[in-house]
Amino acid sequence: MRKKWWQDAVAYQIYPRSFQDSNGDGIGDIPGIISRLDELKELGIGIIWLSPVYKSPDADNGYDISDYCSIDPRYGTMRDMQKLFSEAKKRGIRIIMDLVINHTSDEHPWFRESLDPASEYRDYYIWQKPKGRDRNGRPIPPNNWTGFFMEPVWEYDENSGEYYLHLFHKKQPDLNYKNPQVIAEIKDILRFWLDKGAAGFRCDVINVLYKTSLEDGKKSLTVQGLEHYKSQEGNHEILKELRRDVLSDYNCFTVGETVMVDLPEAKLLCDESRGELDMLFYFDHLEIDRLIARFIPKKFNASKLLAVLAKWQQGLEWNAVYFENHDQSRIVSHFGAGGPKQDNKSADNWAVSAKSLGLLELTLKGTPFIYQGQEIGMTNFDFTDPEKLNDVESRNLDTLMKKMHIPAFLRWKWIKASSRDNARTPMQWNSGANAGFTTGIPWLGINSNYTRINYEGQKHSPDSILSFYKKIIKLRLESECLKKGDFIPLYADTHIMAYQRRLNNETYTMLINLSAKAQKLPPKLDNAAAGAVIVSAAGRTNLEGMLFAWEGALLKSGKAL
Ligand code: ISL
Ligand code: CA
């Protein structure tokens, strides 16, 4: 039996370039992370997921890797990395690495070699002849697939007269998982990091590795062609092989980022007896108020949120639980009072909703992942000039929408809602210059609200969002019921939702108001709401039959209700 230590910890995602700069070049780095480990320990963190720090030309901020076994000089050295492992270990914190193996950078030596059709590396990537020629003699791409970044997925190489496949940026060519040599290389990379001290991996887009066929896809508004490579049998086989041949030799775990995954697929990917992934990140809950994945905002409804959460909480043995990451909006700007659709006027509402959403995340079953800055209620970016956008996805989206003659105000509205830059603005440590992130010029604009929202300002205030997170993380870590108890949905309407967590004789009841108006609790919840209030985001000890605006409250009852 594997001891599943990852089920007893709270994880924290670090996006290194935006966390803490140590040398004034405006880019966060590994020594910067080391200097902040005490803060993470104090928060109660047991696992760090480190977004990529490998050598990369940065076409997609490190998710395009040109050397899997070396550290990009901007982030530091391998010695720094080793120090990070050991300093974290001293504080009881394990580190999982970001495993980006669907694609490499086009500057990776494998791809460079692969440009030569005669090279043994040619078959490391997916090269295809044109389908034919058009009337002007121009090559026609091998199929009709569309990609994740709103750009063509086939890039033509004049030299060899063939195309290579890239589901993401053209500087991110997809590896060919029909080639056993590729899998052998990946095993070496896994071993390299596990031997250095990694405690596992967050596996980037891990359900699209295996392209069963390269036939045309069904017409689709989102990613066309998906049915030929999403969660294929060949993909399951690869995951099993990596577990069997490498991962099982170590005391480690994997969390998959699985794009467009549905519950039946997820069940297979996480079924313990199959030996593939330990848990996965799904996207459904963050898309309840969005159209076309996360691009176009639509109305929020709490009962939809509860339905989606319940489906996954009850559908899988163990979930990876998250509300934010480096690709998503800040949760307080998305479901909370910091968002465009909500009342942004009152600082109280911002704080109460940030706390309530934290309470919601930390009272779900699974391993919670907190994203840097979430614990202080950081909000979406506030720059107003599209020129300031860094995210390649947003920039491509803007170009595409321009071609479709979508007016500028609408383009900006949608980009503001969906841009990955929302989560990528630098961490707000204090109210000093550049929010204490850097002494130089930050690589991406710092949100001007840093004088009001920052770590230092919240550290010593017992009522702050940060102090609240510390308190509920502690509560969770001490409760088997909150970590592992069953999830039972109780009630939801447009604004409020309620659920219980139960284990043996213990019952916790969670009530949350996701609206800007106070809400009466329905009579149906009389019994559930009769328990003792353990913690309320509005600081109350007695609910008196209602929830304040944005208030979340956790109650405890001696027995199941
Ligand atoms: O969120 C998305 C789909 O709506 C995409 O923006 C995102 O690219 C997708 O979730 C996959 O994300 C991961 O792989 C990408 C990288 O750009 C992301 O940062 C990473 O999290 C390619 O490696
Ligand atoms: Ca730096």
Side-chain angles (χ1 to χ4, degrees):
M1 241 312 246
R2 298 199 299 157
K3 183 173 179 321
K4 298 178 190 157
W5 52 267
W6 50 90
Q7 299 194 341
D8 288 302
V10 173
Y12 187 93
Q13 182 193 352
I14 293 183
Y15 192 64
R17 60 197 294 126
S18 298
F19 192 59
Q20 176 71 71
D21 180 21
S22 73
N23 61 355
D25 67 355
I27 302 174
D29 45 49
I30 297 170
I33 299 173
I34 297 174
S35 74
R36 293 295 184 182
L37 286 173
D38 285 335
E39 280 82 349
L40 298 186
K41 183 180 162 62
E42 242 176 71
L43 183 58
I45 298 305
I47 300 166
I48 291 173
W49 150 24
L50 191 63
S51 276
V53 287
Y54 319 100
K55 254 212 178 100
S56 162
D58 249 4
D60 185 21
N61 290 354
Y63 283 86
D64 49 318
I65 299 171
S66 54
D67 183 351
Y68 288 89
C69 298
S70 72
I71 302 293
D72 195 289
R74 281 164 308 173
Y75 297 122
T77 61
M78 192 55 87
R79 279 182 68 177
D80 293 329
M81 189 61 216
Q82 246 147 354
K83 190 168 169 207
L84 176 57
F85 280 129
S86 63
E87 289 297 316
K89 192 171 176 193
K90 276 187 206 160
R91 292 164 178 83
I93 300 174
R94 292 168 154 111
I95 297 179
I96 63 169
M97 303 296 284
D98 211 316
L99 187 73
V100 188
I101 55 169
N102 174 65
H103 41 267
T104 68
S105 162
D106 66 339
E107 295 181 36
H108 193 291
W110 300 339
F111 189 76
R112 292 233 162 112
E113 291 281 338
S114 159
L115 288 170
D116 172 3
S119 159
E120 56 174 315
Y121 287 95
R122 182 68 168 183
D123 209 27
Y124 271 42
Y125 296 87
I126 301 174
W127 287 98
Q128 285 291 301
K129 289 195 174 38
K131 204 179 214 169
R133 299 267 160 185
D134 69 10
R135 256 186 284 150
N136 304 313
R138 280 187 303 248
I140 303 170
N143 66 27
N144 70 355
W145 293 6
T146 60
F148 285 84
F149 282 167
M150 274 79 48
E151 57 176 54
V153 296
W154 292 103
E155 181 72 13
Y156 189 61
D157 170 48
E158 291 285 347
N159 196 36
S160 64
E162 289 189 349
Y163 286 89
Y164 67 84
L165 176 74
H166 61 95
L167 293 181
F168 294 86
H169 193 271
K170 70 165 185 249
K171 284 182 70 63
Q172 293 170 302
D174 283 49
L175 283 164
N176 173 17
Y177 277 90
K178 288 192 170 162
N179 181 352
Q181 196 52 40
V182 168
I183 303 176
E185 300 268 15
I186 300 301
K187 289 182 192 167
D188 288 346
I189 295 167
L190 292 178
R191 274 211 191 83
F192 177 87
W193 285 106
L194 291 164
D195 289 339
K196 285 229 172 311
F201 300 93
R202 174 268 183 186
C203 311
D204 194 68
V205 295
I206 202 67
N207 61 331
V208 301
L209 300 183
Y210 191 86
K211 281 77 180 175
T212 303
S213 95
L214 297 175
E215 265 147 51
D216 276 348
K218 287 195 297 260
K219 278 260 164 280
S220 160
L221 265 183
T222 56
V223 188
Q224 189 162 284
L226 206 67
E227 66 276 20
H228 297 294
Y229 58 81
K230 187 181 65 148
S231 307
Q232 303 288 295
E233 191 44 42
N235 205 115
H236 290 296
E237 291 309 317
I238 294 162
L239 291 174
K240 282 182 196 153
E241 187 175 335
L242 296 180
R243 168 78 72 91
R244 187 188 65 223
D245 294 355
V246 183
L247 298 162
S248 60
D249 292 343
Y250 299 81
N251 183 17
C252 70
F253 80 99
T254 52
V255 47
E257 185 211 29
T258 44
V259 285
M260 318 248 178
V261 73
D262 61 26
L263 187 58
E265 286 166 13
K267 282 188 169 164
L268 294 178
L269 289 160
C270 295
D271 176 344
E272 189 163 12
S273 67
R274 292 167 59 94
E276 299 185 30
L277 296 167
D278 291 297
M279 61 183 107
L280 55 77
F281 293 119
Y282 61 87
F283 293 74
D284 290 5
H285 61 312
L286 298 178
E287 291 171 0
I288 56 160
D289 59 348
R290 299 293 163 90
L291 290 168
I292 319 183
R294 57 173 214 290
F295 294 117
I296 302 178
K298 68 171 195 216
K299 227 174 151 42
F300 174 87
N301 185 326
S303 59
K304 249 198 225 156
L305 181 60
L306 185 66
V308 169
L309 289 175
K311 170 174 146 190
W312 287 88
Q313 287 276 299
Q314 297 182 314
L316 291 181
E317 274 298 307
W318 196 253
N319 276 279
V321 177
Y322 77 106
F323 281 171
E324 288 185 18
N325 65 32
H326 65 293
D327 294 333
Q328 300 287 338
S329 297
R330 292 290 185 175
I331 196 64
V332 72
S333 300
H334 187 180
F335 292 163
K341 62 184 192 323
Q342 312 288 3
D343 55 331
N344 205 1
K345 287 163 249 149
S346 142
D348 282 354
N349 282 351
W350 157 74
V352 174
S353 68
K355 289 177 191 172
S356 296
L357 289 161
L359 188 59
L360 173 58
E361 179 179 348
L362 286 153
T363 54
L364 293 174
K365 180 180 177 186
T367 302
F369 283 74
I370 294 167
Y371 178 69
Q372 66 186 40
Q374 182 185 338
E375 76 278 30
I376 56 169
M378 276 179 63
T379 62
N380 283 352
F381 74 75
D382 66 343
F383 47 81
T384 50
D385 179 2
E387 289 295 310
K388 293 230 164 86
L389 286 171
N390 169 276
D391 177 14
V392 41
E393 185 186 65
S394 300
R395 286 188 280 114
N396 283 352
L397 178 64
D398 196 41
T399 311
L400 182 74
M401 292 193 296
K402 253 188 216 156
K403 272 197 206 144
M404 295 161 77
H405 303 290
I406 295 177
F409 82 93
L410 212 52
R411 296 202 309 264
W412 185 238
K413 187 176 160 196
W414 292 347
I415 283 177
K416 267 183 80 73
S418 72
S419 177
R420 306 190 299 175
D421 283 349
N422 281 322
R424 298 179 180 183
T425 61
M427 180 72 184
Q428 295 164 203
W429 290 107
N430 59 43
S431 59
N434 295 317
F437 163 69
T438 179
T439 54
I441 300 163
W443 73 276
L444 184 68
I446 291 174
N447 194 310
S448 60
N449 63 20
Y450 74 90
T451 48
R452 185 165 56 87
I453 304 177
N454 63 68
Y455 186 93
E456 208 48 46
Q458 296 190 21
K459 187 174 173 180
H460 302 290
S461 151
D463 292 333
S464 67
I465 301 168
L466 179 64
S467 301
F468 189 85
Y469 263 85
K470 286 183 187 165
K471 186 166 147 183
I472 52 179
I473 289 174
K474 188 161 183 287
L475 190 73
R476 178 187 177 89
L477 293 177
E478 287 168 358
S479 162
E480 282 304 295
C481 178
L482 285 179
K483 285 184 287 194
K484 296 169 191 167
D486 290 338
F487 176 95
I488 293 114
L490 288 186
Y491 173 85
D493 57 32
T494 321
H495 305 300
I496 69 177
M497 49 184 250
Y499 57 83
Q500 285 185 327
R501 298 293 309 287
R502 293 185 200 156
L503 188 73
N504 305 326
N505 278 332
E506 239 182 339
T507 303
Y508 280 96
T509 302
M510 173 70 190
L511 306 166
I512 184 168
N513 177 4
L514 288 157
S515 81
K517 287 205 183 86
Q519 303 286 343
K520 264 185 125 162
L521 291 170
K524 203 183 160 214
L525 286 177
D526 279 354
N527 281 345
V533 177
I534 302 285
V535 58
S536 141
R540 296 196 299 157
T541 49
N542 193 339
L543 299 182
E544 288 165 342
M546 50 91 73
L547 291 170
F548 281 2
W550 299 110
E551 182 180 19
L554 184 68
L555 288 73
K556 190 162 186 188
S557 340
K559 54 178 178 10
L561 293 162

